[in-house]
Amino acid sequence: MSRIPKLPGAKENKPGFSNIRNITRTIGNGLSDVDKKALLLNHTKPSSTITSGTSVAAPRLKRAASANAVAPPSKAAKVERKPSVSARIPPYDYKARFNDLVEKHKVIKSELTSLNTKYIEVSDDYEKYKELADNSLKETSILKDKLQNCLRELRQITADHDSLKLDNALQKRELDDLHNKTKILEDVTNSLKIKSMENDRLELEINDLSRRHKSLQEENEAIRVLNEHLKKVSAEHEKLQEDHKCALELIKKTQTHRDALQNIIDTMYKDQRILRNTIQDLKGNIRVYCRVRPPLESETNKPLYNLHVVDACTIEIEKIELLNSARKGKSQHTFSFDGIFTPHSSQEDVFAKVSSMVQSALDGYNVCIFAYGQTGSGKTYTMEGGNGLAEYGIIPRSINMIFECMAELKEMGWELSIKASFLEIYNEVIYDLLDSSKDQESHDIKMVNSKGSELYVSNLREEEVKSSHDFIRLLIFAQRNRQTAATLNNERSSRSHSVAQVKISAINEKRKEKFTSNLNLVDLAGSESGKTTQRMGETKHINRSLSELSKVILSLQTNQSHIPYRNSKLTHLLMPSLGGNSKTLMLVNINQFDDNFNETLNSLRFATNVNSCKTTKAKKNLTLFDGF
């Protein structure tokens, strides 16, 4: 907001004998020509009252005259000039003239000070009034917008009122039509009642005529006709009764066939489950797949090692070192697994191979699916996926499949309930990912009972989900609470082992069967060498837990009597999946970068050891009950 420019202040000169001429010249320069002539006349004319040897000081001019003489011509406040009636100062009395000029200077200076004060007050008032004006304009604009909104709402309400008025008129017309139809129906009903009464009366007359059959021959013919009519009606009634009996028998036969078909379908479904899980048992309870991550757009310039897919289950990797554009050495390694997913494989292709394990969970078996590999190899993308249905990973696709199969199982008499929980193992400490508070209760891995091998995590929050949307909402919440950090190989690397647990409870009242199965979906933290990491503390815990997992796999492979499951929280939690009553699928994720060749080789060797493990056959968690 601009301010009114301030008037320039007058310079103050202190009077003295050395600068009398300068002060006189300065005051004279500020006077107009008319004032100069008047001043000369006042100071040059001799006074009649002056006597010899004495001098009288010249009277000072009026304040108004001095102000007009000094102030420059402007639009400031006008000062009224009054004629001077004081005595004139002789021209030779310089001291009197000097004192007079000093007095005039003081008067002018005091007036200038008062004018500056008034100017400041006027400027402040101007600022206040301008601010009030701006506020008024803003309020006017706001009120104008509110008025426009009110007008629009009024138009909308008016249109709605007209529409309701039209609907009311139509409904009123329909109501009148209904009233008319009701009156017509009432008339028809009354006429039918009258005809019914007449019919009763005729039946009485017919009975009377039948009693007088012998005496009244003329009435006998009418009675015979009526008897024939009654016979026809009776015949039709008997036919309807027979048709009703046939319909009842047909309904009974249909119900019997339906029950038989339902039993056949249940038997076929049971045989299908047995056959499906028998095939899986023949393939092995621990199955291993390998997935190769394609380079991103930002990684196209990185050197790649040679990777050759021999067939659907075998790959060969080879690192070639060049020195002065000549081959220095060659190392070739071949690995075989249950399946290979090339860089061109989609998320749907991966889940097509994994879906049979999810179906086993719906059949009542414990299932564990986990992703293994170094950081930046695509484990989290494989398990959780990205945005959009086409980018969904194994976890969201599994829950979608479960809820799609629930409708089919419900038709067969099964009632299912789904519960979900999420946890992570960070620095050998278990955290509940559905609990966002910083101070969580301690979570320990405990046995369900002393006889079995099933485990559970204490104080872990478990949520019941009614739809796949509810599960996706919990998954997103858990992802936000998971520990991630940037590393040299991955901008957003998972720094903890994440476990999504899905508990399926099913009951069939008709067959008196029930089961409870667990589907564990594990995203392991990325392994990383100490040379490429910036977070040594986390890396030590991650590599230690993965090392303990390797020891457990080696112990299972060599059939040792003691398996060190309890050496880390990860192996303790995976104990039922690796050596207990569970079907396990492992996805080893690798990339093609030459810098990560050694880490890739270690991951593939570990996956080979896992694939060679032989575990006990998984048992179905099906039990029978007598009822409630």
Side-chain angles (χ1 to χ4, degrees), residues 157-202:
I157 292 172
T158 304
D160 294 341
H161 177 265
D162 294 339
S163 176
L164 291 173
K165 189 175 181 181
L166 181 60
D167 293 341
N168 187 22
L170 293 174
Q171 291 179 359
K172 188 175 181 181
R173 186 179 299 173
E174 292 176 357
L175 184 62
D176 294 339
D177 293 339
L178 289 174
H179 281 307
N180 294 331
K181 291 179 180 179
T182 303
K183 290 181 181 179
I184 293 171
L185 289 174
E186 288 178 353
D187 295 338
V188 172
T189 303
N190 293 329
S191 63
L192 288 174
K193 288 181 178 179
I194 293 171
K195 288 182 179 180
S196 178
M197 293 174 64
E198 290 178 354
N199 189 23
D200 295 338
R201 183 176 56 81
L202 288 174

Side-chain angles (χ1 to χ4, degrees), residues 500-511:
Q501 295 181 331
V502 181
K503 185 177 181 181
I504 304 173
S505 300
I507 185 171
N508 192 322
E509 293 286 349
K510 184 184 296 185
R511 301 174 61 178

Side-chain angles (χ1 to χ4, degrees), residues 390-429:
E391 299 295 323
Y392 272 10
I394 292 176
I395 296 177
R397 288 178 184 269
S398 299
I399 203 67
N400 286 340
M401 177 180 174
I402 289 173
F403 279 100
E404 288 174 0
C405 294
M406 281 180 64
E408 299 178 1
L409 293 173
K410 191 173 183 179
E411 293 179 356
M412 299 178 187
W414 289 95
E415 293 291 335
L416 272 72
S417 64
I418 310 296
K419 293 183 179 181
S421 60
F422 298 85
L423 64 91
E424 71 170 352
I425 303 175
Y426 177 69
N427 291 344
E428 285 300 307
V429 179

Side-chain angles (χ1 to χ4, degrees), residues 472-494:
I472 298 298
R473 177 177 55 82
L474 294 176
L475 176 62
I476 293 173
F477 183 80
Q479 288 173 346
R480 292 174 181 172
N481 292 332
R482 190 180 178 187
Q483 295 288 341
T484 59
T487 65
L488 295 179
N489 293 330
N490 190 2
E491 293 182 356
R492 193 175 183 274
S493 175
S494 302

Side-chain angles (χ1 to χ4, degrees), residues 500-622:
Q501 295 181 331
V502 181
K503 185 177 181 181
I504 304 173
S505 300
I507 185 171
N508 192 322
E509 293 286 349
K510 184 184 296 185
R511 301 174 61 178
K512 303 300 181 182
E513 294 179 354
K514 65 179 179 179
F515 69 83
T516 300
S517 61
N518 293 309
L519 174 62
N520 293 324
L521 304 166
V522 185
D523 179 15
L524 297 178
S527 61
E528 189 172 8
S529 64
K531 298 179 181 179
T532 61
T533 185
Q534 297 174 341
R535 303 166 69 93
M536 291 299 298
E538 294 175 349
T539 303
K540 288 180 180 178
H541 285 288
I542 293 171
N543 291 339
R544 177 180 174 274
S545 61
L546 296 177
S547 176
E548 295 296 335
L549 181 60
S550 300
K551 292 179 182 178
V552 169
I553 296 298
L554 182 61
S555 300
L556 290 171
Q557 187 179 7
T558 56
N559 294 324
Q560 293 185 9
S561 59
H562 173 69
I563 311 296
Y565 289 114
R566 297 179 182 269
N567 287 358
S568 72
K569 293 291 180 64
L570 175 63
T571 55
H572 194 185
L573 188 64
L574 294 179
M575 183 176 70
S577 303
L578 297 175
N581 181 28
S582 177
K583 297 185 177 184
T584 304
L585 185 144
M586 173 184 172
L587 280 159
V588 56
N589 295 77
I590 61 174
N591 55 38
Q592 292 182 261
F593 302 132
D594 191 65
D595 294 339
N596 300 329
F597 182 81
N598 292 330
E599 290 291 335
T600 300
L601 190 61
N602 292 333
S603 297
L604 293 175
R605 287 172 176 170
F606 175 76
T608 302
N609 293 332
V610 173
N611 199 24
S612 62
C613 289
K614 303 297 182 181
T615 61
T616 59
K617 181 179 177 181
K619 297 180 180 179
K620 185 177 180 182
N621 302 323
L622 183 67

